[in-house]
Amino acid sequence: MSIPVDPYYDKQYNARASVTDYDQYPRLYRSLSDAAHSSLQVFRDIAYGPGAGERLDIFPAAQPNAPVLLFIHGGYWRALSKAESAFMAPALVEAGACVVVIDYDLAPAVSLDHIVDQVRRSLAWINAHIAEFGGDPTRVVASGSSAGGHLVGMLLAGGWHADYGVTDSVLRGALPISGLFDLQPLLATQINSWMNLDEQAARRNSPQAHFPCQGPEIVVSYGALESAEFARQSQEYLEAWQARGLPGRFMAAPGRNHFDVVLQLGEPGTPLYRAALQLLGL
């Protein structure tokens, strides 16, 4: 039985309505990413699985054995792609990182279970193959924004690693930005018109319900201009992570909204850029 739309939650999770000109952000992501593709060495459309959408781009570092940043795009699991998600590559490659951006299939054509499986398989592929492209598989940091932050949370979750042939220490660190960690509130929003989640699927795919016994250092962030619910999601996830004795901290992003906060990853000197370098060991 579907849950009626709750006006409060529907407004709180309507990220596009929280800014005056949403359309400028995908255009900006794409223009910056196009510039990265034209200015950097890149291995494009490498298959991490058999599906047509299971592809990734690798921006190698100049030096071998480089730490790796895996970036997972947002878009409420139904929009964007790796083509808009390389905006951080120039700054991070210059600092000595190997950057990997991935595609995954989008809702409503596939379920969230399917998307989570794809992202986990992409990380397993990176673990097995990134050394061939100059990356260090023991130093992989995952980051993503919004739905990408949720998918980072599902990489941090416990209980899945053995099925994918990786250890539970496959990640060195993580930087989820504006993530969704408890999907229960989304059942009462218009988002569920394309996600088609029931209560079991929401819990199964909520990082807040699947903390690991051990985990890497994480940095959690969201823009200061975001809604109270997006702020709550990150705060409660980080508090529960720390309560389990796991290493994590908050990084504030003053003056940033849901869509421009992630751009800090490609802006040297900003708090999130510095946090990424720290997690990468650079």
Side-chain angles (χ1 to χ4, degrees):
M1 183 176 67
S2 63
I3 297 175
V5 170
D6 182 303
Y8 173 77
Y9 284 132
D10 202 47
K11 181 177 181 180
Q12 285 285 306
Y13 289 104
N14 189 341
R16 293 189 183 191
S18 70
V19 295
T20 56
D21 182 11
Y22 162 76
D23 290 336
Q24 68 177 302
Y25 295 107
R27 292 195 299 266
L28 179 57
Y29 299 160
R30 183 59 184 261
S31 65
L32 292 173
S33 297
D34 285 348
H37 280 95
S38 64
S39 64
L40 298 174
Q41 180 186 14
V42 57
F43 299 94
R44 301 189 71 160
D45 295 320
I46 306 297
Y48 67 82
E54 297 176 354
R55 300 291 183 268
L56 53 81
D57 294 343
I58 302 171
F59 297 84
Q63 301 299 321
N65 301 313
V68 179
L69 182 93
L70 163 62
F71 185 78
I72 307 169
H73 72 80
Y76 261 137
W77 307 285
R78 69 163 179 169
L80 301 177
S81 71
K82 63 182 176 63
E84 295 88 17
S85 304
F87 48 83
M88 77 298 295
L92 292 180
V93 169
E94 175 68 21
C98 170
V99 174
V100 180
V101 296
I102 68 165
D103 267 342
Y104 51 86
D105 292 327
L106 300 176
V110 299
S111 68
L112 188 53
D113 293 289
H114 181 84
I115 294 171
V116 169
D117 169 67
Q118 288 182 307
V119 172
R120 287 172 172 172
R121 285 191 287 111
S122 77
L123 179 57
W125 186 95
I126 290 167
N127 180 254
H129 297 286
I130 200 61
E132 300 164 24
F133 300 87
D136 182 350
T138 70
R139 293 190 291 162
V140 178
V141 172
S143 185
S145 176
S146 193
H150 160 266
L151 293 168
V152 169
M154 292 304 288
L155 293 180
L156 291 167
W160 63 272
H161 300 81
D163 290 340
Y164 292 76
V166 297
T167 70
D168 57 7
S169 60
V170 64
L171 285 178
R172 172 188 174 131
L175 206 175
I177 303 164
S178 308
L180 295 150
F181 304 101
D182 175 11
L183 302 190
Q184 187 71 26
L186 301 189
L187 298 178
T189 72
Q190 294 183 57
I191 297 156
N192 211 32
S193 66
W194 65 81
M195 291 312 300
N196 298 309
L197 298 169
D198 58 23
E199 291 193 8
Q200 291 75 28
R203 180 173 177 80
R204 189 165 61 245
N205 290 292
S206 288
Q208 190 81 27
H210 303 286
F211 285 100
C213 296
Q214 62 179 31
E217 181 182 3
I218 69 170
V219 177
V220 174
S221 187
Y222 57 87
L225 304 181
E226 298 199 53
S227 73
E229 274 294 291
F230 271 104
R232 180 190 65 81
Q233 289 261 354
S234 287
Q235 290 166 353
E236 292 188 358
Y237 181 76
L238 178 59
E239 288 168 2
W241 182 271
Q242 293 169 325
R244 287 162 171 78
L246 301 173
R249 60 191 174 94
F250 173 68
M251 179 61 67
R256 297 284 178 143
N257 64 44
H258 186 77
F259 300 102
D260 65 6
V261 59
V262 68
L263 293 172
Q264 285 195 10
L265 288 177
E267 298 170 349
T270 59
L272 290 189
Y273 174 83
R274 293 197 302 267
L277 293 193
Q278 181 263 319
L279 290 170
L280 290 162
L282 294 172

